[in-house]
Amino acid sequence: MKLTEQDLHILDFDTHEDYLNSLVDEKSLQYFGDREIVLSLYRTGYRALTKEAFESQRSFLQVAQDPNTLFSRNIHPTDPLLQELAKRERPNRLGLLSTIIYMRYRRKATEISGYIDYEEALRRVHHDLQYSLDWKAIFSGAKVLYPSPADLLYYNAKTERNRQNDTRNYQIRCDPHRGIIFRNMYDRKNIYPDPFATDYGTNTSRTEVPSELYEQVVLYDHVVRKNY
């Protein structure tokens, strides 16, 4: 992919606020009269990228500009799950595909289960957030991937601790008939993880992955249709 100077201009800004401030000029100040009013309008997406769009586009450009940022680069996993995740890393980081990982993992006679927003878990590393993962070690097989309290849904059968978290990509909903629903925050499409369903949502597929490391692993792949 060939990036233009206009594309790369977004990479000049570390934050969305920096980007918005760069758009305020004398003409806009003369028209609206106040800098904060102008910024408030820009935050809504008026003549500017919203915060979500800015962050997604910036992430896209970083990966497109430098493929070395891929954690799975030059690693050849042997486990089927890691092979599937390696295939999906780049499109997830580019925002073209959004993968939710469901897994049940036994650790010292305790089962941990949950749903992981794959892109969120990849991005967490760059922001040095709690429960950040060593993805290179995971892809090489030196460490094991399993849900954490920071993921979409987490349940520890021994302690009965459970957590649920909305992410930048998904909002969790509950339907009395369809159960858990994940709503994609970019195209507003629903993902239905019900294993007995015949429809998992628009542009969404379900893949069960055999793995000796886990009790069960399922990948829900959603092709994102962005609205900006």
Side-chain angles (χ1 to χ4, degrees):
M1 175 184 178
K2 185 176 180 180
L3 302 177
T4 66
E5 289 187 10
Q6 184 176 4
D7 290 330
L8 295 174
H9 180 60
I10 292 179
L11 295 177
D12 293 339
F13 309 105
D14 293 328
T15 67
H16 185 241
E17 286 299 310
D18 291 341
Y19 159 71
L20 294 182
N21 275 297
S22 74
L23 300 178
V24 179
D25 55 20
E26 291 184 6
K27 186 176 181 180
S28 59
L29 287 174
Q30 184 178 10
Y31 188 80
F32 292 103
D34 184 86
R35 187 181 190 85
E36 283 304 313
I37 293 177
V38 177
L39 289 173
S40 295
L41 284 171
Y42 287 167
R43 290 189 189 101
T44 66
Y46 173 77
R47 294 185 179 179
L49 294 174
T50 62
K51 184 177 181 180
E52 291 79 9
F54 169 81
E55 291 179 350
S56 180
Q57 184 71 355
R58 195 171 187 278
S59 177
F60 177 97
L61 293 171
Q62 286 176 325
V63 177
Q65 183 185 36
D66 184 9
N68 292 312
T69 60
L70 297 179
F71 297 124
S72 59
R73 184 177 175 83
N74 297 326
I75 299 177
H76 305 286
T78 57
D79 182 77
L81 171 62
L82 298 179
Q83 291 173 354
E84 293 298 326
L85 293 182
K87 293 176 188 176
R88 291 163 170 78
E89 183 184 4
R90 185 177 180 83
N92 268 270
R93 292 172 68 117
L94 292 177
L96 306 176
L97 183 72
S98 183
T99 300
I100 294 176
I101 308 165
Y102 169 73
M103 59 170 49
R104 293 166 50 217
Y105 172 66
R106 283 195 177 277
R107 182 187 182 191
K108 297 180 180 179
T110 298
E111 182 171 292
I112 297 173
S113 61
Y115 291 85
I116 300 172
D117 178 344
Y118 186 30
E119 188 277 334
E120 171 89 1
L122 290 168
R123 182 166 41 83
R124 198 180 298 143
V125 179
H126 297 295
H127 294 277
D128 194 28
L129 298 177
Q130 188 180 17
Y131 299 111
S132 293
L133 301 171
D134 186 345
W135 279 101
K136 285 188 176 294
I138 289 172
F139 280 118
S140 68
K143 292 187 177 181
V144 179
L145 171 67
Y146 53 86
S148 77
D151 289 312
L152 276 169
L153 286 172
Y154 167 85
Y155 178 68
N156 185 311
K158 183 177 182 179
T159 63
E160 296 188 349
R161 182 185 183 189
N162 65 84
R163 289 286 300 273
Q164 69 175 52
N165 307 281
D166 291 338
T167 67
R168 186 179 73 170
N169 300 304
Y170 288 101
Q171 182 182 74
I172 302 172
R173 297 188 170 190
C174 189
D175 183 90
H177 302 291
R178 304 212 63 169
I180 296 170
I181 297 174
F182 299 112
R183 169 158 289 190
N184 187 278
M185 300 304 292
Y186 290 101
D187 61 12
R188 302 294 176 180
K189 302 300 183 183
N190 290 334
I191 288 79
Y192 305 101
D194 180 357
F196 301 106
T198 55
D199 173 26
Y200 304 107
T202 305
N203 302 321
T204 301
S205 61
R206 179 184 186 274
T207 305
E208 191 146 359
V209 183
S211 173
E212 295 182 358
L213 297 175
Y214 303 93
E215 298 298 305
Q216 183 183 16
V217 180
V218 179
L219 302 179
Y220 293 91
D221 293 314
H222 177 66
V223 178
V224 183
R225 296 284 187 263
K226 301 224 174 145
N227 296 322
Y228 54 82

